[in-house]
Amino acid sequence: MTSVAREQADAPAAGPARARYRRILRFAGWNLAVTWWYELVLPRIGFARVTERTRSKRMRRFAQRFHVLAVELGGLMIKVGQFMSSRLDVLPPEITAELEGLQDEVPPVPFPGIRALAEAELGVPLERAFASVEPTPVAAASLGQAHRAVLSAVDAEDTGLERAVVKVQRPGIDAIVDVDLAALRRVGRWLSHVRLVSDRVDAPALVEEFARTSLEEIDYLHEAASAERFAADFAADERVSVPEVVWERTTRRVLTLADVTAIKITDVDALRAAGIDPAEVAPVFAAVMFDQLFTNGFFHADPHPGNIFVTPLAGAAAGAVAGAAAGASAGAAPGTAWRLTFIDFGMMGEVPTGTRTGLRKLLIAAAARDGKGLVDAMRDVGVLLPSADTADLERAMTQLFARFGGMGFAELREVDPREFRDFAVQFGDVVRSLPFQLPENFLLIIRAMSLTSGVCSALDPEFNLWDSVEPYAAQLVRDERGNVVQDVARQALEIAGVAVRLPKRLDALAARFEDGTVSVRTPELEKRVSRLERTARRLVGAVLFGALLVAGAVLRGSDAVLSTVVLSVSVLPLLYTLFPGRRGR
């Protein structure tokens, strides 16, 4: 299928859907054209200063316009904006700061529309399904919204729960998602023709990964299963809790969970009022996210502040949690015990075993400030192509660690901006010239780590991610050493088995030598020896022929008869030399 035919097939039919599709493409096309003009054309014709002088204003204007577009259109445009707001490592602050409000700024759907969809899914009126449902939503997201409810007497008896949160999809969201994905796929194909982008990332593949996670996010049965899997991963971990699923009132478009509402993780005033030090929460949250990424391989890919609560505890549970949290926050003064409560499991990610091993190496290298090890780990993970010449990148990473390694965000803010600029000038060409790529699943990994860093910094402005990375990396090193010891032990057992069997085999071999029954056959060697023998015989024949020929010629003058006999006999070695027998070949 040609690109034109594919685009025609993707485009929705006439009507509101087609208007939405075209509006997204117009926005993307215009901003790509503006970027191309300012960033590629003007610098080449001598107007680089204009590009630099207007860049900040252009970035801010783009973010403001996208903010308006996302709020008006909703759907996946909100998700795209949320992802962009979390990319502090790549996008300028003019964009990320403007799009931060998209985390919560979504107008709710009027309750009658929510009621109609929920009743159609559950098959009964809401008054029969629940004892009560609050019309005002507690949260409104781009794909659905949540309402507090009280379970019916029958469901409460079966589940042991009373209060619940009912999450209902926005009416018509399936069609909106289809339109948005069609537009994003077309933009992805546009970007695949931009060399600056295509050299570093497969934009169409990135869109497909985003599409897969988005389609999973609007399947609430999938989300319910993910919630239970996440709960099973942390079943023995007192630091984490997960709301229970009420399966009796859950369908593909309606999800009912236990109400676990508590203190929003970044509400530092509420945390202090509850006797919880926000600075103690940050390292525990970071450690829990590290466990998901580097140990479990199944992680919450949308850990923004609205999806995580800090739940104060009392009684016996408090003592157990205090002991578990102490390991992640060593030296902290004792206070109110608490637990991290995760919600919203629509966007989850998985880290394959091979990728997880590479990420562990990456973390260990970063903690050790090992520039070469970091580059090797990047290649193992797949961020760098195997053919990349990384000598200059290793030197850049080594100098980066030497100057900035170990600094927290607060310390980095105090560094003279000219140092960052000098570093960028020195090594910018190196980074841009290398064949970087974004492997599959990395979109969600990057999002999870970006949000984790942002939440930790909101909890504690002085938070230093290295303080959490180093002890975790040290534990990973101990684990890796344990694996090495196991491998060595396994190999030692194999060698020991061979050593036990070796004396008997040597005795049997010695007995065969004594009996003369040992034979060594090397067919290839035998063939080569046979060829040497034939060559030697032909050489001897040639020498004899020459000798007899010379002798016959010498005798020709004194004894003609003998000379004739000798010359005749010389024909025999000549024939043997020219036509050796096939025997022995």
Side-chain angles (χ1 to χ4, degrees), residues 184-199:
L184 290 174
R185 287 186 174 107
R186 187 166 181 180
V187 174
R189 289 194 291 272
W190 288 351
L191 293 174
S192 68
H193 297 294
V194 180
R195 186 172 181 179
L196 184 65
V197 176
S198 62
D199 284 348

Side-chain angles (χ1 to χ4, degrees), residues 49-374:
R49 290 186 178 181
V50 175
T51 297
E52 295 176 3
R53 188 171 63 250
T54 61
R55 182 175 291 124
S56 179
K57 184 178 180 180
R58 285 186 287 110
M59 294 296 102
R60 191 178 300 107
R61 186 185 302 122
F62 162 78
Q64 291 169 347
R65 289 175 176 171
F66 185 85
H67 190 290
V68 172
L69 177 77
V71 171
E72 290 182 0
L73 294 182
L76 293 186
M77 294 300 101
I78 294 286
K79 291 295 178 185
V80 173
Q82 289 174 349
F83 173 72
M84 292 169 66
S85 71
S86 68
R87 292 306 307 270
L88 302 175
D89 55 330
V90 175
L91 298 176
E94 292 87 353
I95 292 179
T96 57
E98 179 63 33
L99 297 180
E100 282 177 352
L102 285 175
Q103 300 288 5
D104 297 315
E105 186 187 340
V106 182
V109 175
F111 187 67
I114 294 296
R115 170 190 283 274
L117 190 149
E119 290 180 345
E121 283 290 305
L122 297 174
V124 296
L126 278 188
E127 289 75 12
R128 289 181 56 189
F130 301 95
S132 65
V133 179
E134 294 183 5
T136 302
V138 293
S142 57
L143 305 181
Q145 62 191 51
H147 296 257
R148 283 199 176 92
V150 177
L151 295 178
S152 66
V154 175
D155 290 340
E157 184 178 354
D158 290 343
T159 62
L161 304 171
E162 179 181 358
R163 299 190 175 277
V165 171
V166 183
K167 185 176 177 181
V168 184
Q169 276 186 16
R170 286 177 169 258
I173 194 64
D174 289 343
I176 291 174
V177 167
D178 289 342
V179 172
D180 291 355
L181 289 179
L184 290 174
R185 287 186 174 107
R186 187 166 181 180
V187 174
R189 289 194 291 272
W190 288 351
L191 293 174
S192 68
H193 297 294
V194 180
R195 186 172 181 179
L196 184 65
V197 176
S198 62
D199 284 348
R200 286 160 176 78
V201 63
D202 185 345
L206 200 63
V207 172
E208 289 307 317
E209 183 181 354
F210 182 76
R212 178 180 57 79
T213 59
S214 299
L215 293 173
E216 289 177 353
E217 197 168 356
I218 60 174
D219 181 356
Y220 287 170
L221 291 175
H222 184 274
E223 179 176 346
S226 295
E228 292 203 334
R229 178 179 173 183
F230 189 86
D233 284 347
F234 287 96
D237 194 327
E238 296 292 342
R239 302 170 300 172
V240 178
S241 65
V242 178
E244 184 178 340
V245 179
V246 182
W247 285 101
E248 294 81 357
R249 300 302 179 202
T250 296
T251 69
R252 195 181 73 85
R253 298 199 289 175
V254 176
L255 174 61
T256 305
L257 302 163
D259 188 355
V260 292
T261 306
I263 304 171
K264 186 176 180 179
I265 190 170
T266 53
D267 190 345
V268 293
D269 293 334
L271 289 174
R272 293 192 181 99
I276 301 171
D277 184 357
E280 293 181 18
V281 178
V284 175
F285 174 61
V288 168
M289 291 304 299
F290 288 156
D291 282 342
Q292 296 173 47
L293 285 164
F294 302 113
T295 302
N296 300 340
F298 183 65
F299 64 95
H300 198 301
D302 195 22
H304 66 76
N307 285 340
I308 305 149
F309 295 122
V310 177
T311 305
L313 300 176
V321 175
S329 185
T336 302
W338 48 271
R339 179 179 289 159
L340 293 172
T341 302
F342 286 77
I343 63 171
D344 193 351
F345 300 92
M347 189 183 295
M348 304 296 292
E350 291 195 56
V351 186
T353 302
T355 303
R356 190 157 70 247
T357 301
L359 286 175
R360 290 160 73 101
K361 292 180 180 178
L362 200 68
L363 185 68
I364 292 170
R369 319 291 199 270
D370 180 4
K372 184 180 185 305
L374 187 70

Side-chain angles (χ1 to χ4, degrees), residues 417-469:
R418 287 175 294 184
E419 290 196 48
F420 293 116
R421 187 163 54 250
D422 292 344
F423 185 88
V425 169
Q426 184 178 1
F427 295 106
D429 291 339
V430 173
V431 174
R432 284 190 293 271
S433 64
L434 285 172
F436 285 100
Q437 61 180 358
L438 192 62
E440 187 179 358
N441 300 319
F442 254 60
L443 176 67
L444 295 181
I445 293 173
I446 293 171
R447 173 178 173 80
M449 292 311 299
S450 297
L451 289 172
T452 298
S453 177
V455 169
C456 290
S457 296
L459 286 165
D460 179 11
E462 303 297 321
F463 176 77
N464 189 338
L465 192 61
W466 295 104
D467 293 338
S468 293
V469 168

